[in-house]
Amino acid sequence: MNQTPLSRLEADLSKQELDAMLITDPKHIYYLTGYASNPHERFMGLMLARGEDPLLIVPALDADAAAAASTVSNIATHSDTDNPYALFDRYQGRLGRVGLEKEYVTVSRYEQLNSALGGASFEDVGSLLRALRVNKTPEEVARIRHAIYLIEETLRQGLTHVRAGVTEIELVAEMEYQMKKLGADGPSFDTMVLTGPKTGLPHGTPGDRKLQHGDLLMFDMGVYAGGYASDITRTFAFGDISPELRTIYNTVLAANKAAIQVVKPGITCASVDRAARQVTIDAGYGERFMHRVGHGLGIDVHEYPSLHGENMDLLQAGTVFTIEPGIYTAAGGVRIEDDVLVTDTGVEVLTTYPKELKILTD
C-alpha cells in the first residue's frame, strides 16, 4: 500500500530518534495535508508528536477553510489577540528532540519556540522533506504538466501583442493578464520580459525600454496552478539580428540539447550542468554562462535538486527540474529553459514550445 507523504514523515520520527516535528513552511503544510494558505504574519504549523495524532495549528479566521481542505482533522486555532505559542503548553517538559525546517524558521520564531517547548533541542529536517518531495507522483507530474500548458499558452497569446515600441513592462502586464484569463492561480515568480541589451542581464528588471528592430526579446515566466509551478524561458529575435547574436542563440540551443541528452536515473546533477557548459566553453562563451544549468521544480518554483557542476547527488526517476543554459553579453543574451522529468529509462521534456530561433515582426 502506498504511504502518503504525511505517513512517511511520521515514520521518520522514530527512525531519526525525534520526539516531534514542527512544520511551518506553508508549502510543506500543503504538501502534507492538502491545505494551502498564506498566513502572512500569523502563526501556522503542523505538529507531529510521536504516538499522537498530527495537530494542525491555524489562525482562527482560517479554521473553516482548514477543516474543509486538510486531511488532518485535529485542528487548533488562535485569534489575533492570542499568543499562538501557548498552544505548545501541552508539550512542555516531554519533548527532547524536535525537528524544524531550519532554512525557513526565523530567529524570532526559533526563540519563541525555544521558550514554549522548555528545553527541547532542535534538529534540522530539511533533508527529510527534500527526500519526500524529490520523486514526484503521477498526480504531481500531471499538475506540473497543466501548469506548463498554461504558461506556454500564455506565451502564445502574449506574443500577438509584440510590436515595435511596446515596452517591457507592457508585455509583462499582458502576460500576467493572460495567465489569469487562462485559469492560472498567478505567476510562480516575477514575470521577466527583457529586450535588446537588457537580455544580457540574467536577472534583469523589466522597465520602460521599448522594443526595437534588431533586438533580442526574452521571456522568463511561469505560473502556479493546482499548487504546482511551471518555469519556461524562450528568447526571440525581433527582426534581423546580428551574426554574433545568432551564434549565441545557436550555442545556447546546442547546450540545452546536450544537457537534456545526458539525463537519466543514476547520473550526477553535475553531469547535466557540465554537458551544457562544455558546449559554451567550446564556442568561446564559457565565462558568459555564469549560473547553474537548472533547479528542481514542484510546489516551489526553485526546489531541490540544484543542478550545478559540483553537485554529485544522483538523479532519480520522478524528479522534475529545469534545464536553462544561457549566454549573456553586452550586446544581448539568450536563455532557453525547458522543464524535464527523469523517467525510469531516461528523460521526458515536459515543455513543448518550439526552441528553434523564431524571428518576430510587427
Side-chain angles (χ1 to χ4, degrees), residues 305-318:
S306 179
L307 285 99
H308 59 73
E310 302 301 321
N311 187 351
M312 304 310 291
D313 290 350
L314 302 181
L315 292 180
Q316 304 174 43

Side-chain angles (χ1 to χ4, degrees), residues 168-299:
E168 295 164 340
I169 203 67
E170 286 173 335
L171 288 173
V172 169
E174 182 59 39
M175 293 296 171
E176 294 192 350
Y177 166 70
Q178 292 294 338
M179 292 175 191
K180 299 291 280 189
K181 184 178 178 182
L182 288 163
D185 297 330
S188 52
F189 55 95
D190 290 341
T191 302
M192 184 163 63
V193 180
L194 301 174
T195 62
K198 289 180 67 178
T199 59
L201 304 172
H203 279 173
T205 301
D208 60 3
R209 188 185 185 279
K210 295 180 179 179
L211 182 63
Q212 304 170 25
H213 291 284
D215 280 351
L216 288 174
L217 172 60
M218 181 187 293
F219 296 87
D220 185 353
M221 54 191 186
V223 298
Y224 273 118
Y228 285 77
S230 57
D231 186 1
I232 185 175
T233 306
R234 290 294 185 266
T235 307
F236 302 92
F238 187 66
D240 290 332
I241 57 174
S242 70
E244 178 189 9
L245 293 178
R246 282 184 176 270
T247 297
I248 289 172
Y249 190 97
N250 290 333
T251 302
V252 173
L253 180 59
N256 171 277
K257 291 179 177 179
I260 291 171
Q261 189 172 12
V262 302
V263 174
K264 61 181 178 181
I267 71 159
T268 64
C269 293
S271 298
V272 184
D273 181 277
R274 292 172 184 176
R277 200 164 302 278
Q278 191 61 51
V279 173
T280 66
I281 291 170
D282 291 345
Y285 290 102
E287 293 184 357
R288 307 314 302 167
F289 176 18
M290 65 280 286
H291 56 74
R292 63 188 176 182
V293 79
H295 55 82
L297 185 69
I299 60 175

